[in-house]
Amino acid sequence: MTEDGKQNIFARETPPQLVGNYTSYPKEAEKTNGRWAMIGITSLIGAYATTGQIVPGFFKITFNLIHC
């Protein structure tokens, strides 16, 4: 209850937690970035191998719209 006799309708905020050691953050961020890049390259190769296009469907739709 507040000093006016009203209930507090707002949620209680949790205090921020400070991480004392950020020395491994750049190394971990670089690893994660590299892993996502490898997933993207693998997806690109897979799409090209199965459809013959880098972005499947995009050029086909664009090409049909230009020549209609």
Side-chain angles (χ1 to χ4, degrees):
M1 297 272 247
T2 62
E3 58 273 352
D4 297 329
K6 298 178 184 177
Q7 289 184 348
N8 186 2
I9 61 171
F10 301 107
R12 183 175 170 182
E13 293 184 16
T14 57
Q17 297 178 358
L18 299 176
V19 178
N21 185 6
Y22 259 152
T23 57
S24 67
Y25 177 76
K27 185 186 272 186
E28 293 299 318
E30 197 66 29
K31 273 194 219 174
T32 304
N33 187 24
R35 289 174 182 159
W36 281 112
M38 287 295 179
I39 289 171
I41 289 170
T42 305
S43 301
L44 180 79
I45 292 170
Y48 187 73
T50 57
T51 65
Q53 297 178 349
I54 301 222
V55 182
F58 177 74
F59 294 113
K60 185 177 179 182
I61 294 170
T62 306
F63 187 71
N64 286 340
L65 289 176
I66 292 172
H67 291 288
C68 287

